[in-house]
Amino acid sequence: MFSKFYESFYLKVLVNIVIGPTKTIVYIEMLNKSGLVNSFEEAFDTKYLSTEMYEFIHNYTKESPYFYISILDNSLSQGAIPTCSKHKTGYFHDLSASEYKCYKDQWTYYTAKTDVYAIEKVYEKIGVDFIFSPFLILANFFKDKVETHLAMFILVEEGTLSLSIFDNAKLLYSDHLDMNIEIESDDLIIDDHELEDMELEEDDSIDLDDIDTIDDIDELDDFGDIADLDSIDELDEFDETKDVEEELAASEDEEDFPIQDTDGLNEDYQRFSLIQSSVNNFYQSEKFESEFIENVYVGDGVGVSSDLKKYLEEEMFLNVYVRHVDLAVELCEITKMELS
Amino acid sequence: MKYSYIKPRNKSLLTPELQLLFVFFGITIFMLFTTYAFLLFKDYRFTQDRLDIIEQREETSDEIDLIENRITFIKEEQRLSEDVFTKNTVLKDSISNMFDLVPQRITLSEAKLLENGLVLYGITPNKDIYNFMLQAPLRSIFHRTYSSFYPAQNGWLRFVSTNYIDKEEEMFEEVKKDTQDEDYDEEIEYED
């Protein structure tokens, strides 16, 4: 009680740290009883607590005894499962070595205990008050859509993707994807293509005897189904699933935060590949309740190029809506929710 | 609802600056209280010392009284001893004088000194020597003198001389002497 009373005399300093593979963003908000007093943001070219970062944070935390340091969890072993029941969690993931929290008695997000300890150890000098899951930011950022839509929601962070599929606030599937790990596999894929090309070059001539034309003609009968595509009603229905409001908002967003057109190709394709494989996993796995996804909402925390949207639309026939998200600010919002 | 994987640390008002401030004030208050306690102790010690000194003074005063009493007593003793010494000296002189009275031909065998008298035992060649040479001076000193003789084996006489001084007579003589002096004074006045 006295603590709350004293707290009202001091500024509340919220330090939010988003750790990326190459840089760390520190966003600080200073609040008083009436609201925001000041905010500061600084990016540091390190993924650990450097002297400059310590000085920057300490400069503000010394202003008030009531300061809270929040970190966005960047663990690779994190995720979310569509149940809160302890009996069912084991079906989706073994949580014995994980820290986990239940979100509104609907779904559970988790991370590896060792990674939590690692974060606490790295930031031991300034201390850590909160560690939040990116899935929490995703659910909070797209709160208006999550609770009323069946869609896929993707939070694009630097080097990682947090993907989840919600059906009217019910989590169906989630996956945390790391781009750095997949790079190696992509390289391998490319290597395979190269090998195939090399093989093709070797076999210049095509053996016509190998082509079994008569058998393949039967398969062509299936093209008769093309007539079904003429049913325009279904196409209209397909169009109705489009979120016009979100499209409008996305176009405005593009003006405010111009999407990168160059240099993002490889990364975006990589992201697309990861999303595609994850969605395949969702459709194929029997663990998850499968629903057909038509819309995808992308929370862009790094400034992806328009290619990602293009890939998703053209390759996966999804309606894609991109919203720019400032991860540090959203982290701060979660901190405020936690403190309130 | 709690969203974080970890619990926040307890926030305390005691920032390092406040801690320093509290330590500083703590030390100052401690020193003030220490000084106050020291002064209280000194005051207590002073009061105790004062009481001790008062008690000592009373004791000393009592001792002085005692010593003064002893001095008075010793002075009294000294006076008494001087009196005794004087009396003894007088007695010694008296005895010496008494023995001076005894002629060479008479030998004393015993002498008893009484409060108001003297008893002499001795041997004399004959009564005349005793009467003339010893009794005569004794009679001049004592008011009453009694002598008795009995013969010794060698033909000499053993004698016992008992001599008394009458105090009443002595007092009467003193009174008589005083009245004579007064008559004499009256006569002188009458003549004037």
Side-chain angles (χ1 to χ4, degrees), chain B residues 50-75:
Chain B
R50 197 167 59 88
L51 288 172
D52 287 349
I53 287 166
I54 289 168
E55 200 177 332
Q56 273 181 11
R57 199 181 64 180
E58 282 173 0
E59 279 177 8
T60 311
S61 178
D62 289 348
E63 278 177 9
I64 287 167
D65 287 348
L66 195 71
I67 287 166
E68 278 178 352
N69 286 339
R70 286 186 67 187
I71 287 167
T72 313
F73 180 71
I74 287 164
K75 276 182 178 173

mmCIF file of all heavy atoms in Angstrom, chain B residues 50-75:
data_model
loop_
_atom_site.group_PDB
_atom_site.id
_atom_site.type_symbol
_atom_site.label_atom_id
_atom_site.label_comp_id
_atom_site.label_asym_id
_atom_site.label_seq_id
_atom_site.Cartn_x
_atom_site.Cartn_y
_atom_site.Cartn_z
ATOM 1 N N ARG B 50 29.832 14.138 43.121
ATOM 2 C CA ARG B 50 29.415 15.188 44.076
ATOM 3 C C ARG B 50 28.883 14.539 45.363
ATOM 4 O O ARG B 50 29.262 14.929 46.471
ATOM 5 C CB ARG B 50 28.337 16.059 43.425
ATOM 6 C CG ARG B 50 28.114 17.401 44.121
ATOM 7 C CD ARG B 50 27.280 18.307 43.224
ATOM 8 N NE ARG B 50 25.986 17.727 42.912
ATOM 9 C CZ ARG B 50 24.885 17.876 43.668
ATOM 10 N NH1 ARG B 50 24.932 18.589 44.766
ATOM 11 N NH2 ARG B 50 23.761 17.327 43.312
ATOM 12 N N LEU B 51 28.036 13.524 45.159
ATOM 13 C CA LEU B 51 27.479 12.828 46.327
ATOM 14 C C LEU B 51 28.583 12.146 47.132
ATOM 15 O O LEU B 51 28.575 12.186 48.367
ATOM 16 C CB LEU B 51 26.437 11.795 45.860
ATOM 17 C CG LEU B 51 25.113 12.359 45.336
ATOM 18 C CD1 LEU B 51 24.263 11.254 44.743
ATOM 19 C CD2 LEU B 51 24.344 13.074 46.434
ATOM 20 N N ASP B 52 29.530 11.527 46.385
ATOM 21 C CA ASP B 52 30.660 10.862 47.055
ATOM 22 C C ASP B 52 31.477 11.857 47.876
ATOM 23 O O ASP B 52 31.857 11.586 49.017
ATOM 24 C CB ASP B 52 31.556 10.181 46.017
ATOM 25 C CG ASP B 52 30.906 8.930 45.452
ATOM 26 O OD1 ASP B 52 29.872 8.497 46.013
ATOM 27 O OD2 ASP B 52 31.407 8.396 44.446
ATOM 28 N N ILE B 53 31.700 13.033 47.230
ATOM 29 C CA ILE B 53 32.509 14.060 47.920
ATOM 30 C C ILE B 53 31.772 14.551 49.173
ATOM 31 O O ILE B 53 32.386 14.729 50.236
ATOM 32 C CB ILE B 53 32.834 15.216 46.941
ATOM 33 C CG1 ILE B 53 33.884 14.735 45.938
ATOM 34 C CG2 ILE B 53 33.339 16.447 47.684
ATOM 35 C CD1 ILE B 53 34.055 15.616 44.733
ATOM 36 N N ILE B 54 30.436 14.746 49.032
ATOM 37 C CA ILE B 54 29.635 15.188 50.195
ATOM 38 C C ILE B 54 29.733 14.145 51.320
ATOM 39 O O ILE B 54 29.961 14.501 52.493
ATOM 40 C CB ILE B 54 28.159 15.425 49.787
ATOM 41 C CG1 ILE B 54 28.064 16.686 48.927
ATOM 42 C CG2 ILE B 54 27.251 15.549 50.999
ATOM 43 C CD1 ILE B 54 26.728 16.862 48.225
ATOM 44 N N GLU B 55 29.630 12.885 50.893
ATOM 45 C CA GLU B 55 29.710 11.804 51.882
ATOM 46 C C GLU B 55 31.093 11.771 52.543
ATOM 47 O O GLU B 55 31.216 11.651 53.771
ATOM 48 C CB GLU B 55 29.428 10.480 51.171
ATOM 49 C CG GLU B 55 29.018 9.363 52.116
ATOM 50 C CD GLU B 55 28.678 8.079 51.355
ATOM 51 O OE1 GLU B 55 28.244 8.187 50.192
ATOM 52 O OE2 GLU B 55 28.864 7.006 51.937
ATOM 53 N N GLN B 56 32.113 11.951 51.648
ATOM 54 C CA GLN B 56 33.492 11.951 52.164
ATOM 55 C C GLN B 56 33.703 13.103 53.135
ATOM 56 O O GLN B 56 34.358 12.960 54.167
ATOM 57 C CB GLN B 56 34.473 12.083 50.995
ATOM 58 C CG GLN B 56 34.836 10.739 50.373
ATOM 59 C CD GLN B 56 35.832 10.898 49.235
ATOM 60 O OE1 GLN B 56 36.401 11.972 49.051
ATOM 61 N NE2 GLN B 56 36.008 9.836 48.487
ATOM 62 N N ARG B 57 33.098 14.275 52.760
ATOM 63 C CA ARG B 57 33.250 15.456 53.624
ATOM 64 C C ARG B 57 32.611 15.209 54.985
ATOM 65 O O ARG B 57 33.188 15.550 56.021
ATOM 66 C CB ARG B 57 32.596 16.668 52.949
ATOM 67 C CG ARG B 57 33.082 18.000 53.497
ATOM 68 C CD ARG B 57 32.397 19.136 52.806
ATOM 69 N NE ARG B 57 30.960 19.135 53.076
ATOM 70 C CZ ARG B 57 30.116 20.033 52.588
ATOM 71 N NH1 ARG B 57 30.557 20.986 51.809
ATOM 72 N NH2 ARG B 57 28.831 19.969 52.874
ATOM 73 N N GLU B 58 31.419 14.568 54.933
ATOM 74 C CA GLU B 58 30.738 14.255 56.197
ATOM 75 C C GLU B 58 31.566 13.281 57.021
ATOM 76 O O GLU B 58 31.722 13.451 58.251
ATOM 77 C CB GLU B 58 29.357 13.656 55.909
ATOM 78 C CG GLU B 58 28.341 14.718 55.526
ATOM 79 C CD GLU B 58 27.011 14.125 55.074
ATOM 80 O OE1 GLU B 58 26.903 12.886 55.075
ATOM 81 O OE2 GLU B 58 26.124 14.912 54.718
ATOM 82 N N GLU B 59 32.119 12.288 56.304
ATOM 83 C CA GLU B 59 32.964 11.306 57.001
ATOM 84 C C GLU B 59 34.182 11.981 57.617
ATOM 85 O O GLU B 59 34.551 11.732 58.766
ATOM 86 C CB GLU B 59 33.410 10.216 56.023
ATOM 87 C CG GLU B 59 32.337 9.155 55.797
ATOM 88 C CD GLU B 59 32.764 8.125 54.769
ATOM 89 O OE1 GLU B 59 33.935 8.153 54.344
ATOM 90 O OE2 GLU B 59 31.906 7.312 54.377
ATOM 91 N N THR B 60 34.780 12.874 56.791
ATOM 92 C CA THR B 60 35.968 13.600 57.273
ATOM 93 C C THR B 60 35.610 14.476 58.476
ATOM 94 O O THR B 60 36.375 14.544 59.457
ATOM 95 C CB THR B 60 36.540 14.476 56.126
ATOM 96 O OG1 THR B 60 36.651 13.689 54.969
ATOM 97 C CG2 THR B 60 37.909 15.034 56.486
ATOM 98 N N SER B 61 34.442 15.120 58.374
ATOM 99 C CA SER B 61 33.986 15.976 59.482
ATOM 100 C C SER B 61 33.807 15.145 60.757
ATOM 101 O O SER B 61 34.242 15.564 61.850
ATOM 102 C CB SER B 61 32.674 16.626 59.075
ATOM 103 O OG SER B 61 32.191 17.404 60.107
ATOM 104 N N ASP B 62 33.207 13.953 60.579
ATOM 105 C CA ASP B 62 33.029 13.053 61.725
ATOM 106 C C ASP B 62 34.374 12.635 62.303
ATOM 107 O O ASP B 62 34.573 12.588 63.526
ATOM 108 C CB ASP B 62 32.238 11.814 61.298
ATOM 109 C CG ASP B 62 30.780 12.140 61.017
ATOM 110 O OD1 ASP B 62 30.357 13.268 61.375
ATOM 111 O OD2 ASP B 62 30.088 11.300 60.418
ATOM 112 N N GLU B 63 35.298 12.327 61.325
ATOM 113 C CA GLU B 63 36.636 11.912 61.767
ATOM 114 C C GLU B 63 37.330 13.036 62.525
ATOM 115 O O GLU B 63 37.997 12.817 63.541
ATOM 116 C CB GLU B 63 37.476 11.497 60.555
ATOM 117 C CG GLU B 63 37.191 10.058 60.114
ATOM 118 C CD GLU B 63 37.971 9.676 58.875
ATOM 119 O OE1 GLU B 63 38.851 10.449 58.463
ATOM 120 O OE2 GLU B 63 37.673 8.607 58.326
ATOM 121 N N ILE B 64 37.137 14.278 62.016
ATOM 122 C CA ILE B 64 37.744 15.453 62.680
ATOM 123 C C ILE B 64 37.185 15.571 64.106
ATOM 124 O O ILE B 64 37.959 15.784 65.069
ATOM 125 C CB ILE B 64 37.485 16.730 61.848
ATOM 126 C CG1 ILE B 64 38.358 16.709 60.596
ATOM 127 C CG2 ILE B 64 37.753 17.988 62.670
ATOM 128 C CD1 ILE B 64 37.980 17.741 59.544
ATOM 129 N N ASP B 65 35.869 15.414 64.222
ATOM 130 C CA ASP B 65 35.237 15.478 65.551
ATOM 131 C C ASP B 65 35.836 14.416 66.471
ATOM 132 O O ASP B 65 36.155 14.691 67.647
ATOM 133 C CB ASP B 65 33.724 15.259 65.425
ATOM 134 C CG ASP B 65 33.037 16.466 64.810
ATOM 135 O OD1 ASP B 65 33.696 17.536 64.711
ATOM 136 O OD2 ASP B 65 31.866 16.345 64.395
ATOM 137 N N LEU B 66 35.964 13.220 65.873
ATOM 138 C CA LEU B 66 36.509 12.108 66.656
ATOM 139 C C LEU B 66 37.944 12.400 67.113
ATOM 140 O O LEU B 66 38.304 12.203 68.283
ATOM 141 C CB LEU B 66 36.464 10.832 65.794
ATOM 142 C CG LEU B 66 36.638 9.515 66.507
ATOM 143 C CD1 LEU B 66 35.409 9.192 67.355
ATOM 144 C CD2 LEU B 66 36.832 8.394 65.469
ATOM 145 N N ILE B 67 38.706 12.921 66.111
ATOM 146 C CA ILE B 67 40.112 13.227 66.422
ATOM 147 C C ILE B 67 40.187 14.333 67.476
ATOM 148 O O ILE B 67 41.010 14.283 68.410
ATOM 149 C CB ILE B 67 40.860 13.596 65.120
ATOM 150 C CG1 ILE B 67 41.077 12.336 64.285
ATOM 151 C CG2 ILE B 67 42.212 14.246 65.437
ATOM 152 C CD1 ILE B 67 41.479 12.592 62.861
ATOM 153 N N GLU B 68 39.308 15.334 67.341
ATOM 154 C CA GLU B 68 39.289 16.427 68.331
ATOM 155 C C GLU B 68 38.951 15.896 69.725
ATOM 156 O O GLU B 68 39.576 16.305 70.715
ATOM 157 C CB GLU B 68 38.267 17.482 67.907
ATOM 158 C CG GLU B 68 38.826 18.440 66.872
ATOM 159 C CD GLU B 68 37.817 19.469 66.403
ATOM 160 O OE1 GLU B 68 36.640 19.338 66.783
ATOM 161 O OE2 GLU B 68 38.217 20.372 65.653
ATOM 162 N N ASN B 69 37.982 14.978 69.736
ATOM 163 C CA ASN B 69 37.630 14.349 71.026
ATOM 164 C C ASN B 69 38.831 13.599 71.606
ATOM 165 O O ASN B 69 39.101 13.672 72.818
ATOM 166 C CB ASN B 69 36.459 13.382 70.833
ATOM 167 C CG ASN B 69 35.158 14.115 70.626
ATOM 168 O OD1 ASN B 69 35.045 15.298 71.008
ATOM 169 N ND2 ASN B 69 34.194 13.479 70.019
ATOM 170 N N ARG B 70 39.489 12.893 70.704
ATOM 171 C CA ARG B 70 40.667 12.133 71.159
ATOM 172 C C ARG B 70 41.763 13.065 71.653
ATOM 173 O O ARG B 70 42.445 12.788 72.634
ATOM 174 C CB ARG B 70 41.191 11.256 70.019
ATOM 175 C CG ARG B 70 40.293 10.035 69.761
ATOM 176 C CD ARG B 70 40.904 9.113 68.751
ATOM 177 N NE ARG B 70 42.107 8.485 69.273
ATOM 178 C CZ ARG B 70 42.928 7.721 68.550
ATOM 179 N NH1 ARG B 70 42.655 7.516 67.289
ATOM 180 N NH2 ARG B 70 44.005 7.191 69.109
ATOM 181 N N ILE B 71 41.907 14.188 70.908
ATOM 182 C CA ILE B 71 42.920 15.179 71.329
ATOM 183 C C ILE B 71 42.593 15.693 72.737
ATOM 184 O O ILE B 71 43.463 15.784 73.623
ATOM 185 C CB ILE B 71 43.002 16.331 70.305
ATOM 186 C CG1 ILE B 71 43.693 15.823 69.031
ATOM 187 C CG2 ILE B 71 43.754 17.537 70.875
ATOM 188 C CD1 ILE B 71 43.570 16.764 67.840
ATOM 189 N N THR B 72 41.292 16.006 72.918
ATOM 190 C CA THR B 72 40.841 16.503 74.238
ATOM 191 C C THR B 72 41.139 15.455 75.318
ATOM 192 O O THR B 72 41.648 15.785 76.403
ATOM 193 C CB THR B 72 39.320 16.797 74.193
ATOM 194 O OG1 THR B 72 39.024 17.540 73.025
ATOM 195 C CG2 THR B 72 38.872 17.554 75.429
ATOM 196 N N PHE B 73 40.802 14.204 74.933
ATOM 197 C CA PHE B 73 41.017 13.107 75.887
ATOM 198 C C PHE B 73 42.509 12.952 76.212
ATOM 199 O O PHE B 73 42.909 12.822 77.370
ATOM 200 C CB PHE B 73 40.448 11.811 75.273
ATOM 201 C CG PHE B 73 40.596 10.612 76.143
ATOM 202 C CD1 PHE B 73 39.830 10.464 77.311
ATOM 203 C CD2 PHE B 73 41.519 9.626 75.837
ATOM 204 C CE1 PHE B 73 39.989 9.363 78.106
ATOM 205 C CE2 PHE B 73 41.667 8.518 76.647
ATOM 206 C CZ PHE B 73 40.894 8.370 77.790
ATOM 207 N N ILE B 74 43.297 13.017 75.100
ATOM 208 C CA ILE B 74 44.752 12.873 75.295
ATOM 209 C C ILE B 74 45.298 14.032 76.129
ATOM 210 O O ILE B 74 46.153 13.845 77.007
ATOM 211 C CB ILE B 74 45.465 12.765 73.926
ATOM 212 C CG1 ILE B 74 45.190 11.386 73.306
ATOM 213 C CG2 ILE B 74 46.974 12.965 74.060
ATOM 214 C CD1 ILE B 74 45.487 11.280 71.837
ATOM 215 N N LYS B 75 44.765 15.228 75.876
ATOM 216 C CA LYS B 75 45.198 16.400 76.655
ATOM 217 C C LYS B 75 44.852 16.207 78.130
ATOM 218 O O LYS B 75 45.651 16.530 79.019
ATOM 219 C CB LYS B 75 44.517 17.658 76.117
ATOM 220 C CG LYS B 75 45.241 18.250 74.922
ATOM 221 C CD LYS B 75 44.549 19.532 74.458
ATOM 222 C CE LYS B 75 45.319 20.140 73.287
ATOM 223 N NZ LYS B 75 44.599 21.260 72.725
#
